[in-house]
Amino acid sequence: MPTTPLSIAFIGLGAMGAPMAENLIKRQFRVTGFDMRESARDALVVAGGHAADSAKAAASGADALVLMVVNAAQARAVLFEAGALAALSDGAVVMLMATCPPGEVEAIAAEVVRSGRHFVDSPVSGGVVGARAATLSIMVGAPQESFDKARPVLDAMGDKVFHVGERPGQGATVKTVNQLLCGVHIAVAAEALSLAEKAGIDGRVLFEIMGGSAASSWMLRDRGPRMHEPDPTVASAVDIFVKDLGIVLDAGRAAKTALPLAAAAHQMFLATSGLGHGSRDDSQVVRAYRALNAKPANDP
């Protein structure tokens, strides 16, 4: 029976990280968190956790470290530059839950393992809603012993925990494929809406029809309605897909795999960001299509 880590350092208390940390607190873990924003640290304390003034202080003596940071560069900065890895207890487990390139994950894992700690490659899918409800999908690449050690922590944050392989980087690869599909699905839904709007068809009616047809997808049903809102609540930002689809294309180059649909979707998210909408909800990729397909001024 795996030993449950009692003391957890949680780095990255953002839109997803904060509710994930709160779910660990609800499961009776002792959570000490760090985020650059004081307001995020204060909110963790209100939820029953503990705040630290640095990543190293949060990790001091902890049995586990959860990294819900933006990218691999931030993970490296926390672990190696800020000293969080060295501050952990001997045999602690490091869980990298951000979306990172598989090659970067492998390199970070090697350094963590050399320090005598366990490394669990464990990116997540499910967005803010899944983070709050503890219904995230978690894709794990790690040796069985490391996976068993991390499992109680992962189960507190997600209800779909998959052990996809024994090697770090394999979880990141599955997440990369997930982001390829998600990004393309959102972009093609926006493209379909753009065509319908150009023909004078009510987009709300279009998505009501498509949502119940063979053309439907989870992304179409979820993001489609938000494409009609002028400024929807941000579930996941446009710039997240600029980053994630960039990772997809990097993985494709490394594997010498052609990914033309991912490349096209990436360009549309990039264009949306370039138009000044990078921090808006990712459904707003539709703005790039509307800009591209605007009616000419001399069109009667």
Side-chain angles (χ1 to χ4, degrees):
M1 188 76 177
T3 301
T4 302
L6 299 178
S7 176
I8 300 175
F10 201 108
I11 311 299
L13 302 169
M16 290 184 66
M20 290 165 69
E22 289 176 19
N23 283 325
L24 290 170
I25 293 167
K26 291 174 185 175
R27 293 287 190 97
Q28 305 305 307
F29 291 102
R30 186 183 192 281
V31 178
T32 302
F34 175 71
D35 191 279
M36 294 297 291
R37 295 168 300 121
E38 183 179 359
S39 59
R41 301 195 300 270
D42 291 343
L44 181 68
V45 173
V46 171
H50 305 270
D53 59 6
S54 70
K56 182 177 180 179
S60 181
D63 301 303
L65 171 62
V66 175
L67 291 167
M68 194 60 191
V69 292
V70 173
N71 52 33
Q74 284 194 5
R76 281 189 166 278
V78 168
L79 287 168
F80 311 126
E81 296 169 27
L85 178 62
L88 291 168
S89 65
D90 294 337
V93 57
V94 174
M95 286 164 265
L96 178 53
M97 308 193 79
T99 301
C100 302
E104 285 282 346
V105 172
E106 291 180 63
I108 292 171
E111 294 187 54
V112 170
V113 171
R114 276 198 296 270
S115 78
R117 278 88 176 182
H118 295 266
F119 183 89
V120 176
D121 166 26
S122 46
V124 301
S125 180
V128 175
V129 172
R132 289 174 178 161
T135 56
L136 293 169
S137 294
I138 305 176
M139 298 144 269
V140 180
Q144 188 66 50
E145 180 186 2
S146 300
F147 175 59
D148 290 343
K149 191 173 180 68
R151 185 69 191 258
V153 180
L154 300 175
D155 282 341
M157 297 182 284
D159 63 352
K160 297 172 284 295
V161 180
F162 301 97
H163 191 198
V164 302
E166 293 278 325
R167 300 194 316 275
Q170 290 179 308
T173 297
V174 175
K175 179 60 188 294
T176 298
V177 173
N178 181 82
Q179 294 308 90
L180 186 163
L181 287 165
C182 289
V184 168
H185 282 191
I186 296 171
V188 78
E191 187 166 306
L193 177 60
S194 182
L195 174 60
E197 287 179 338
K198 197 77 170 183
I201 296 167
D202 186 331
R204 290 177 176 81
V205 174
L206 174 79
F207 280 141
E208 184 178 353
I209 296 167
M210 296 297 106
S213 78
S216 183
S217 71
W218 189 93
M219 279 298 187
L220 183 146
R221 294 191 302 274
D222 185 77
R223 299 314 202 259
R226 298 211 293 272
M227 291 180 187
H228 302 293
E229 298 177 28
D231 196 16
T233 300
V234 179
S236 179
V238 165
D239 278 343
I240 294 295
F241 271 106
V242 173
K243 172 182 74 77
D244 288 359
L245 287 172
I247 291 172
V248 169
L249 296 176
D250 287 343
R253 280 191 289 272
K256 292 184 169 57
T257 302
L259 304 173
L261 297 180
H266 183 249
Q267 288 297 302
M268 296 310 294
F269 281 102
L270 190 60
T272 308
S273 184
L275 289 168
H277 308 303
S279 62
R280 293 184 186 273
D281 185 70
D282 57 26
S283 63
Q284 298 308 292
V285 69
V286 72
R287 290 171 180 258
Y289 281 98
R290 286 170 177 156
L292 186 63
N293 295 312
K295 183 186 292 187
N298 59 356
D299 193 359

